[in-house]
Amino acid sequence: MKKIHENLAFVDLMSERYGELRAMIEKLTNDEIIDNHLSSSQWYVITIIYKRTSSLSQLNDWMNLSRQAIHKAIKNLQEKNIVTVSDVEGNKKEKSVTLTQYGESCCEKYINIKHQIELYIQKQIGVENMKLMKTYLGKDWHLEDFKVD
């Protein structure tokens, strides 16, 4: 464990670990697809629309990114032939976004690397500890009820 992790508070430790994992997954996947380097926000869009068609307004609702960041990511992904953008029938203002075959292939590599990292971590901490971690992280912590004293 990095020395910095020893004294971090829970939220900071979670954030640090998340950042490390996300950076590792993105770097390994970018290395694997070779012909394109994708940003974090582009990977985020890809994983959200994988195996579905989504409208731009749905992406705005689902993602914790600004509208401008989503549009920029979509434009860049379209230029890289990873997504297609098309008009929504009956709505002149709305656009839908779908992964191309190449985009699905990129996303599947990303998912595979995430799975391999998860198995590696499970091997490091043990099957039971991994199950517990997933259980605790998946629980509703009722954060909406939290009030500062």
Side-chain angles (χ1 to χ4, degrees), residues 15-74:
S15 179
E16 185 72 21
R17 288 298 195 177
Y18 171 80
E20 289 172 2
L21 287 170
R22 183 66 50 215
M24 177 183 278
I25 293 163
E26 290 170 6
K27 182 193 178 323
L28 290 170
T29 310
N30 281 331
D31 290 350
E32 185 115 340
I33 60 173
I34 299 168
D35 50 344
N36 276 309
H37 174 84
L38 304 178
S39 69
S40 293
S41 56
Q42 290 169 341
W43 280 118
Y44 189 22
V45 169
I46 289 169
T47 58
I48 294 290
I49 65 173
Y50 180 63
K51 297 290 186 191
R52 74 175 106 181
T53 298
S54 303
S55 69
L56 288 175
S57 60
Q58 286 173 319
L59 292 176
N60 285 323
D61 291 342
W62 295 336
M63 299 177 73
N64 191 24
L65 291 175
S66 70
R67 188 175 184 276
Q68 293 83 359
I70 292 170
H71 283 270
K72 181 180 177 185
I74 296 293

Side-chain angles (χ1 to χ4, degrees), residues 82-95:
I82 292 174
V83 300
T84 56
V85 177
S86 51
D87 294 329
V88 172
E89 195 172 319
N91 186 341
K92 292 183 180 184
K93 290 184 176 182
E94 190 62 81
K95 303 280 186 199

